[in-house]
Amino acid sequence: MSSKTLRLTQPDDWHLHLRDGETLSTTVPHSSRTFARAIVMPNLKPPVTTVEQALAYRQRIISHIPKGRSFEPLMTLYLTDKLDAEEVQRAYDEQCVHAIKFYPAGATTNSESGVAELECVYPAIEKMAELGLPLLIHGEVTGDHIDIFDRERVFIDNVLSPLTQKFPKLKIVLEHITTREAVDFVNSQGDNIAATLTPHHLLLDRNDLLAGGVKPHYYCLPILKRSSHRSALIEAATSGSPKFFLGTDSAPHAIETKETSCGCAGIYSAHAALEFYAEIFEAANALDKLEGFASFFGADFYKIPRNSAKITLSKNPLSVPAEYIFGDSTVIPMRAGETVSWSIEETT
Ligand code: NCD
Ligand code: ZN
């Protein structure tokens, strides 16, 4: 008997860390297996802060696309205090750069160069609002006195809400949201404000990270929250609202930087990203909503054409290996050594 299948327009990943150097030979084949395009995060060391650097990075990515596949890296710039309105204009004119990423200084992996006070970059933001170039936001406040589980909620109240009032036309993607408050905030705003949702925040909660022993491979930022927040995220993802779309935040780290006394944040999911989302949507009885979330709403928000290729998933288990090569080390993928209940049959 043939197994259940699902045919979708080929999806895009609207939030992806591909890293650089040798590790591109793991990450680029994984993402390009499924996605036609991806918004590529700029938090390299040093970060991608100019159009020139973004174009050079784009070429390094392209050189790792397996023969016969098409994959378009959509580049982003890292917002620093030095970004001026002229570079924003250059980014807009250069068709390969699609957004600017704001990391509050110190909020996450490689965010040392982030912005401490948004006021310093108001001229750049003003220009983005004028041009319709999206600002992508890692929405967490920093500071030791703020509880790590509250950092997204406090960011929305103290930073994001005032920002949207100051720049009401600015296009914003609140990346990898993790709380009911973030869902409610995005829903309360106009269609210039959207959010991405990751497979790990839709599949896991903080018990998966902490109960019965610390699981360093489930440590990511924003940190996994309690299960009631996860329910709110699933509701948002499967609601059919174009404000919520797919962004894996697949963020690989070498095993020795995760399994250590002060481990890096980031979960690697690119090897089975769409398969994870299919599991999530099936469990929510919402497989009919997957195509909008994965293949339409992001492209519509970024105002780029939807893909025309199709991808077929089938309800055949995908076995995930225990590890993948990652430069001169290895990376432990999400669901390592286990199975995902869907797999990709073909892309046409
Ligand atoms: C990301 C990384 O490793 O680059 N880590 C993560 O936990 N999500 C950075 C980020 O997106 O916050
Ligand atoms: Zn990220």
Side-chain angles (χ1 to χ4, degrees), residues 98-136:
H98 292 263
I100 297 189
K101 177 72 189 279
F102 164 43
Y103 291 100
T108 186
T109 310
N110 299 347
S111 63
E112 300 78 10
S113 323
V115 175
E117 292 297 335
L118 266 180
E119 282 82 359
C120 309
V121 287
Y122 274 178
I125 295 180
E126 184 88 64
K127 193 74 187 169
M128 293 172 67
E130 180 195 318
L131 297 170
L133 191 67
L135 180 68
L136 314 183

Side-chain angles (χ1 to χ4, degrees), residues 13-151:
D13 185 347
W14 299 98
H15 184 127
L16 176 64
H17 299 268
L18 289 172
R19 311 303 190 205
D20 206 352
E22 249 318 287
T23 58
L24 289 173
S25 38
T26 300
T27 58
V28 176
H30 279 165
S31 289
S32 63
R33 185 185 63 97
T34 304
F35 297 105
R37 300 171 293 204
I39 283 279
V40 179
M41 288 297 131
N43 63 331
L44 303 181
K45 276 183 181 168
V48 178
T49 56
T50 65
V51 172
E52 200 186 338
Q53 290 168 343
L55 296 184
Y57 182 30
R58 181 171 181 272
Q59 283 313 316
R60 298 197 293 281
I61 296 166
I62 288 174
S63 71
H64 286 82
I65 300 172
K67 275 208 175 56
R69 270 193 206 160
S70 95
F71 178 68
E72 195 186 344
L74 309 171
M75 307 312 291
T76 61
L77 297 189
Y78 188 115
L79 183 63
T80 68
D81 293 352
K82 297 192 182 57
L83 186 79
D84 54 27
E86 288 72 48
E87 196 66 14
V88 172
Q89 182 71 53
R90 264 195 290 282
Y92 178 77
D93 294 340
E94 181 47 70
Q95 304 284 315
C96 301
V97 179
H98 292 263
I100 297 189
K101 177 72 189 279
F102 164 43
Y103 291 100
T108 186
T109 310
N110 299 347
S111 63
E112 300 78 10
S113 323
V115 175
E117 292 297 335
L118 266 180
E119 282 82 359
C120 309
V121 287
Y122 274 178
I125 295 180
E126 184 88 64
K127 193 74 187 169
M128 293 172 67
E130 180 195 318
L131 297 170
L133 191 67
L135 180 68
L136 314 183
I137 297 185
H138 183 110
E140 288 193 289
V141 288
T142 55
D144 293 343
H145 56 293
I146 308 213
D147 191 282
I148 190 167
F149 291 100
D150 295 336
R151 289 180 179 189

